[in-house]
Amino acid sequence: MVKDLRSFINLLEEKGLLIRVKKAVNRRFELAALIVKAQKIGKAILFENVLGSNIPVVSNIVGSRRMLALALDTDEEQLLEEYTKRSSHLIEPQIVDQGAVQEVVRVGEDATTEMLPIVTHSELDAGPYITAGIAVAKDPETGYRNASFNRMQLKGTQKLGIRMMPPQHLGIIHSKAESKGKNLEVAVVIGNHPAEMVAGSTTLPYNVDHFTLASALRREPLKLVRCKTIDLEVPADAEIVLEGEVLANIREEEGPYGDFMQLYVPIAHNHIFRLKAITHRRNPIYQTILAGTVEDTTLLALSRESLIYKAVKSSGSEVKAVSLTPNLFNCAISIKKKFEGEPKNVAMAAFGAYYWLKYCIVVDEDVNVYDLSDVWWAIATRSKPDTGLFVIPYARGFPRDPYHLHQTKVGIDATAPIDAKEERIRRRIPNVELTTLEDYI
Ligand SMILES: Cc1cc2nc3c(=O)[nH]c(=O)nc-3n(C[C@H](O)[C@H](O)[C@H](O)COP(=O)(O)O)c2cc1C
């Protein structure tokens, strides 16, 4: 398995999955517009010439399940099963003395956000945002280490706004430090291998170190180095680390920001991160993620699909695949149906396992849950809305929901009747998967 971001970029290039942009690009909107274009053709994109910075910017490195599977040394079909297997055997990370991420150390006045090509993504965003930073912090009472993605708004040469609210663990950890009147030391890691990216996107039980999950996904201990100015450890082969602290008892306006729902989060009073040091590789690569697009949702989906997969499996159903893409609120699950009515039990297991879920569509095993046109085909041809659709009013849903738009759940059985299987055989052309147009033109 490739060990770090830059070797993964090389691998993507070898596989024809990377676009290099040599032309100068403005990091206010132009860069984000090009990320969208790269996403449309399923490729990562590396900007070599970003106006006003010497540092290249990469994005969309896990812009599809295929790319994420490649990073984790598996294939698309096995990804969910493999994640589920690996994540059930967590591995302790390993602290080492030296790491590439500390090839250059800038402390105090030398550490300034001006060196970073921080990107402005969406039209109404309050300004440039760090979107691919994994924030590392420790519980001040127990020493438990957390690592999660947290957006950060650029506010000054050594000042950034940071969004971190309980129940997210970083918010809980900060409130513990704040209750003692103390600032919280935080390291922000930018330019990560996808194993750390998945770990930073996953909600784990409190007290479970996200780097144990990253190690499990890597199938070996993740190497960590001690920060230079704060008492934290960070991935040794990352590209850039911001060392600093989140201040106690200070909140300032943060936002608006175009988030993972493709909606703007309104201005809120959020925390402030004060930068103390930057460490980085000699020629660092900066990374950015466009919220609400395929890279963001691919990252967030995997661990949540795994929760559903495990719940459905343990309820006794034969689950084939689960998809929460492209937007995390809707799910398609394919099963080998054994009983009429079973799809409703499957949907209920999914709603129980993952409370953000709003619509759950259960399909037969011949339907590709990762292909929305296939899922719609199943709804069109196999669902029977009078008996196969059910509504659960007012259940727990997405918490940031002032209008209660997410509190009701809908299940759809889009499976064919078991005794109608023969009549429902899908039209299929032999060898279509093996036939390539290039061989004929
Ligand atoms: C690109 C990206 C950006 C994210 N930004 C935030 C954020 O700003 N605030 C937040 O609460 N969660 C954010 N998340 C979600 C957290 O990473 C996610 O909730 C994680 O599971 C937290 O787990 P924890 O509570 O176990 O630490 C983001 C996720 C991704 C993939």
Side-chain angles (χ1 to χ4, degrees):
M1 182 185 303
V2 289
K3 297 276 185 274
D4 55 16
L5 173 66
R6 52 185 60 203
S7 28
F8 184 51
I9 291 172
N10 291 340
L11 179 62
L12 288 170
E13 189 155 38
E14 263 173 45
K15 303 273 180 196
L17 291 170
L18 179 86
I19 302 166
R20 276 180 191 272
V21 178
K22 296 194 184 297
K23 210 168 154 181
V25 172
N26 192 318
R27 59 188 127 121
R28 187 174 147 83
F29 307 140
E30 187 181 13
L31 195 145
L34 289 162
I35 297 173
V36 171
K37 299 292 169 172
Q39 288 178 333
K40 290 246 185 291
I41 54 169
K43 295 198 178 186
I45 185 160
L46 180 67
F47 300 93
E48 295 184 352
N49 185 356
V50 180
L51 287 169
S53 175
N54 299 324
I55 300 181
V57 176
V58 75
S59 192
N60 204 43
I61 62 160
V62 287
S64 65
R65 300 178 75 84
R66 178 182 170 205
M67 290 153 97
L68 183 53
L70 187 65
L72 299 182
D73 193 27
T74 181
D75 57 47
E76 224 175 313
E77 286 71 35
Q78 293 301 313
L79 183 61
L80 182 56
E81 176 84 36
E82 196 57 34
Y83 171 87
T84 306
K85 217 180 326 163
R86 290 188 204 175
S87 61
S88 66
H89 296 102
L90 299 176
I91 297 174
E92 283 302 316
Q94 178 194 1
I95 298 183
V96 296
D97 291 335
Q98 286 182 336
V101 76
Q102 294 179 338
E103 282 169 352
V104 179
V105 178
R106 299 168 188 269
V107 182
E109 283 179 5
D110 270 357
T112 142
T113 53
E114 280 162 344
M115 66 168 280
L116 302 173
I118 306 178
V119 179
T120 308
H121 298 97
S122 301
E123 189 177 17
L124 302 184
D125 283 359
Y129 267 84
I130 294 176
T131 59
I134 296 181
V136 182
K138 279 187 187 164
D139 182 312
E141 289 158 10
T142 64
Y144 149 67
R145 182 175 48 217
N146 194 70
S148 58
F149 277 107
N150 289 78
R151 67 171 186 262
M152 299 177 81
Q153 182 189 341
L154 180 64
K155 284 178 173 276
T157 54
Q158 295 194 318
K159 179 178 171 186
L160 294 123
I162 179 165
R163 148 80 205 193
M164 37 180 278
M165 293 294 165
Q168 202 213 22
H169 293 165
L170 183 59
I172 295 174
I173 291 172
H174 182 267
S175 51
K176 285 193 180 189
E178 194 166 57
S179 68
K180 297 180 171 60
K182 292 207 166 122
N183 296 338
L184 179 74
E185 293 184 335
V186 173
V188 180
V189 190
I190 303 169
N192 290 288
H193 181 278
E196 285 78 86
M197 292 169 72
V198 171
S201 313
T202 300
T203 298
L204 292 172
Y206 198 80
N207 288 335
V208 177
D209 178 355
H210 292 243
F211 290 150
T212 62
L213 174 59
S215 304
L217 297 178
R218 286 170 170 266
R219 293 178 297 202
E220 63 180 20
L222 167 68
K223 291 189 172 53
L224 302 176
V225 276
R226 293 182 206 285
C227 288
K228 294 291 181 184
T229 61
I230 51 180
D231 181 23
L232 289 170
E233 302 82 33
V234 288
D237 294 320
E239 294 290 326
I240 301 167
V241 172
L242 314 185
E243 298 183 7
E245 51 190 12
V246 174
L247 306 180
N249 302 314
I250 296 195
R251 305 286 189 273
E252 287 185 16
E253 285 193 350
E254 183 265 320
Y257 172 72
D259 80 347
F260 78 97
M261 290 193 288
Q262 300 179 23
L263 297 169
Y264 288 100
V265 192
I267 297 172
H269 285 86
N270 282 334
H271 300 70
I272 295 295
F273 173 88
R274 190 167 62 202
L275 181 64
K276 290 167 79 173
I278 299 183
T279 71
H280 59 86
R281 289 184 179 234
R282 231 162 262 125
N283 299 301
I285 302 170
Y286 181 84
Q287 185 179 16
T288 199
I289 296 174
L290 198 48
T293 63
V294 61
E295 178 166 40
D296 195 16
T297 52
T298 299
L299 277 172
L300 286 159
L302 185 58
S303 60
R304 292 157 178 95
E305 288 165 355
S306 175
L307 285 179
I308 294 172
Y309 180 76
K310 286 187 283 192
V312 175
K313 214 170 171 175
S314 64
S315 76
S317 286
E318 206 173 314
V319 53
K320 293 287 165 190
V322 178
S323 172
L324 277 171
T325 46
N327 61 25
L328 301 177
F329 292 110
N330 301 346
C331 182
I333 304 174
S334 57
I335 60 164
K336 189 168 175 15
K337 186 169 82 168
K338 295 191 286 282
F339 311 98
E340 295 304 343
E342 184 184 5
K344 285 188 182 155
N345 299 70
V346 167
M348 288 190 288
F351 288 131
Y354 172 56
Y355 68 86
W356 281 21
L357 190 57
K358 190 168 173 181
Y359 288 89
C360 185
I361 299 149
V362 183
V363 296
D364 291 301
E365 58 184 322
D366 62 336
V367 175
N368 179 1
V369 295
Y370 304 113
D371 178 349
L372 284 184
S373 62
D374 226 28
V375 174
W376 273 110
W377 172 84
I379 294 172
T381 60
R382 293 179 174 174
S383 72
K384 200 166 170 290
D386 54 345
T387 56
L389 184 146
F390 68 99
V391 177
I392 302 172
Y394 213 79
R396 186 182 181 201
F398 178 58
R400 190 158 48 76
D401 178 13
Y403 307 112
H404 303 300
L405 296 174
H406 293 272
Q407 309 310 112
T408 294
K409 309 204 179 287
V410 178
I412 300 174
D413 174 356
T415 59
I418 292 171
D419 58 10
K421 274 275 158 65
E422 292 296 306
E423 295 93 311
R424 300 285 185 122
I425 291 174
R426 287 180 80 172
R427 179 188 62 80
R428 165 170 196 280
I429 300 161
N431 288 330
V432 67
E433 299 85 4
L434 302 173
T435 308
T436 59
L437 211 46
E438 287 74 28
D439 292 340
Y440 292 81
I441 48 180

